[in-house]
Amino acid sequence: MERLGRAFLALLLFVCLFSGSWAHTPGHRTRYEPDWASLDQRPLPRWYDEAKVGIFLHYGVYSVPSFGSEWFWHYWINQRKPDYIRFMQRNYKPDFTYQQFADQFTAELFNATQWALLFKDSGAKYVVLTSKHHDGYTLWPSKYSFGWNSVDVGPKRDIIKELASAVRSVSDLKFGLYYSLYEWVNRMWIDDKAHQLLQQHYVDYKVRPEQMELVQQYLPEILWSDGDQEAPAKYWRSEEFIAWLYNDSPVRETIVTNDRWGFGTACMHGDFYNCADRFNPGVLQRHKWENAFTLDRTSWGQRFDVTLADFMSSKDVIKEIVTTVSCNGNVLINVGPTKYGTILPIFEERLRDMGRWLSINGEGIYGSSPWIYQNDTLTPDVWYT
């Protein structure tokens, strides 16, 4: 019996050492250092890998002109693209400014519950809303964006609060937020660039306070970073912030982040990789990744200069889901709502068609893992999980 007892203890020690159970004992939580070597060791929260399908929402002041792209301001003022200049000359007075569009961003028909029920019917398992795009306009009453947010000007509503509440009350979808690091015309950002990024006033007084505000107030389980491409992660102090997310934030157990935290981080760091817009390599990726794509093939924001050919068909959408999930990815399917707060019927049709397909075939999608082969050699449109 004594020898058996020693053998049992030895086996228990072996199991503990090699299963990593010491790291997961009650009351013990791994703490991550503010460097990529440590942060990259964090296990991906299981919910994200199992969810597979998400909805992306690009909504903001750019929804008012509804022309060309959500980059309307940049293309019109900074790049002086002829199509945008002609559009403004034909439709607005000569001294009209982009900021004046905010008064017309009314969202008077916005019904967060209707949106949430549609996303539930679509078969999606999470939704990501643009909290702030590159124009700097915030969809919540940011303390750091006075007069340029959805409560001070435009709808006079906290869009994030309404949608987060609706999603959590009528569905089991996870709620996430997109946040653009840079802003085209923010004077602190422009000044930091003028000083060759040797100062970080924009990060200290704008980016970091807003990031903390978003996480602490709205508890997003996805923080989808963007607008990082003009500065390194050290300028954005991304490692420091992500370490806080993983260690001490109120969503530390479930939060997931992408890979846009400074130039050079794409496809390198983050809980999941985006690598590029509409990224779909068609071959198995070892690290979890996400294919963010638009139902309107060219624009993330709502626009009216479209034809039917610009929209993905329902069959196109389903193919994108199948090929992505087979290769260890998730899909994040983008919709651009109108300035009134409605989702166009063509977007709704695509999402409901997707939901019907997933209600039948979801067993091969949700919670699935990649197989040893991704697609069939003789019938290349057959994909496996």
Side-chain angles (χ1 to χ4, degrees):
M1 289 294 292
E2 182 181 354
R3 187 167 61 182
L4 180 62
R6 286 199 300 269
F8 175 75
L9 288 173
L11 177 61
L12 179 62
L13 179 61
F14 177 86
V15 169
C16 288
L17 287 174
F18 289 92
S19 68
S21 60
W22 290 136
H24 301 285
T25 53
H28 182 91
R29 179 183 293 119
T30 300
R31 288 194 67 83
Y32 299 94
E33 297 300 318
D35 61 72
W36 293 123
S38 177
L39 299 174
D40 288 345
Q41 298 304 309
R42 183 192 187 233
L44 177 72
R46 182 179 297 174
W47 78 260
Y48 180 82
D49 182 46
E50 294 179 346
K52 306 300 183 187
V53 181
I55 301 295
F56 211 179
L57 294 163
H58 275 66
Y59 193 40
V61 172
Y62 44 84
S63 305
V64 175
S66 286
F67 178 84
S69 165
E70 72 288 349
W71 281 52
F72 184 94
W73 194 4
H74 179 72
Y75 291 155
W76 168 37
I77 297 297
N78 294 338
Q79 293 198 359
R80 306 296 293 169
K81 288 196 170 186
D83 288 351
Y84 290 79
I85 292 173
R86 281 194 296 270
F87 175 82
M88 291 304 297
Q89 289 173 341
R90 290 171 180 169
N91 296 285
Y92 296 91
K93 60 186 180 181
D95 58 347
F96 194 89
T97 66
Y98 183 82
Q99 286 83 349
Q100 289 175 275
F101 282 128
D103 291 326
Q104 301 174 35
F105 181 49
T106 51
E108 70 265 34
L109 300 179
F110 171 60
N111 184 317
T113 300
Q114 286 183 352
W115 284 21
L117 290 172
L118 171 61
F119 304 150
K120 179 182 179 181
D121 290 346
S122 78
K125 299 299 181 183
Y126 59 100
V127 58
V128 178
L129 173 67
T130 46
S131 68
K132 182 197 75 169
H133 203 255
H134 312 323
D135 61 3
Y137 183 88
T138 71
L139 293 186
W140 84 101
S142 168
K143 299 184 186 73
Y144 311 95
S145 187
F146 179 77
W148 193 233
N149 66 70
S150 63
V151 172
D152 289 345
V153 59
K156 307 295 178 66
R157 300 165 70 174
D158 186 336
I159 301 295
I160 294 178
K161 182 179 180 180
E162 290 187 40
L163 186 60
S165 177
V167 165
R168 288 164 174 158
S169 64
V170 303
S171 75
D172 59 358
L173 274 71
K174 303 290 188 181
F175 182 77
L177 292 170
Y178 162 111
Y179 180 83
S180 172
L181 296 175
Y182 84 151
E183 298 174 14
W184 291 313
V185 298
N186 188 289
R187 289 187 176 90
M188 285 188 291
W189 164 242
I190 293 169
D191 188 54
D192 281 1
K193 286 198 295 181
H195 285 82
Q196 299 182 325
L197 304 179
L198 296 176
Q199 65 185 31
Q200 296 169 298
H201 295 166
Y202 175 64
V203 176
D204 290 337
Y205 302 113
K206 187 66 161 70
V207 174
R208 188 53 36 81
E210 283 192 335
Q211 289 173 323
M212 300 290 282
E213 195 174 61
L214 283 173
V215 172
Q216 292 171 334
Q217 287 189 23
Y218 302 105
L219 306 177
E221 291 177 284
I222 303 161
L223 193 60
W224 212 99
S225 183
D226 194 22
D228 64 322
Q229 61 266 34
E230 293 189 12
K234 293 298 182 186
Y235 168 79
W236 301 115
R237 297 208 306 276
S238 297
E239 293 156 292
E240 169 193 292
F241 175 64
I242 296 171
W244 174 80
L245 279 180
Y246 291 174
N247 292 326
D248 301 309
S249 78
V251 286
R252 58 184 173 267
E253 301 292 346
T254 53
I255 188 80
V256 293
T257 65
N258 63 338
D259 58 352
R260 300 185 183 187
W261 294 101
F263 59 67
T265 60
C267 270
M268 293 289 293
H269 304 293
D271 293 305
F272 61 91
Y273 296 165
N274 288 118
C275 299
D277 292 350
R278 304 176 181 86
F279 177 69
N280 187 354
V283 294
L284 181 64
Q285 304 293 298
R286 294 300 173 185
H287 192 281
K288 190 66 187 180
W289 60 284
E290 184 181 73
N291 175 8
F293 65 91
T294 56
L295 293 181
D296 170 354
R297 296 178 191 274
T298 62
S299 177
W300 298 83
Q302 157 65 23
R303 66 189 181 105
F304 286 117
D305 54 322
V306 289
T307 66
L308 187 60
D310 291 318
F311 294 97
M312 294 180 69
S313 68
S314 297
K315 184 177 180 180
D316 292 335
V317 174
I318 291 166
K319 181 178 181 180
E320 204 72 20
I321 295 171
V322 169
T323 57
T324 298
V325 171
S326 179
C327 296
N328 197 32
N330 281 19
V331 291
L332 187 60
I333 303 167
N334 183 77
V335 172
T338 71
K339 69 173 186 175
Y340 309 106
T342 57
I343 293 174
L344 292 180
I346 192 166
F347 289 137
E348 180 179 351
E349 179 191 51
R350 300 300 189 261
L351 295 183
R352 292 195 183 281
D353 285 349
M354 179 177 82
R356 282 188 285 271
W357 186 87
L358 285 167
S359 70
I360 298 169
N361 300 282
E363 186 178 356
I365 300 295
Y366 306 123
S368 65
S369 300
W371 195 40
I372 53 174
Y373 304 107
Q374 276 57 66
N375 69 327
D376 191 87
T377 304
L378 297 178
T379 51
D381 284 336
V382 174
W383 293 75
Y384 301 113
T385 58

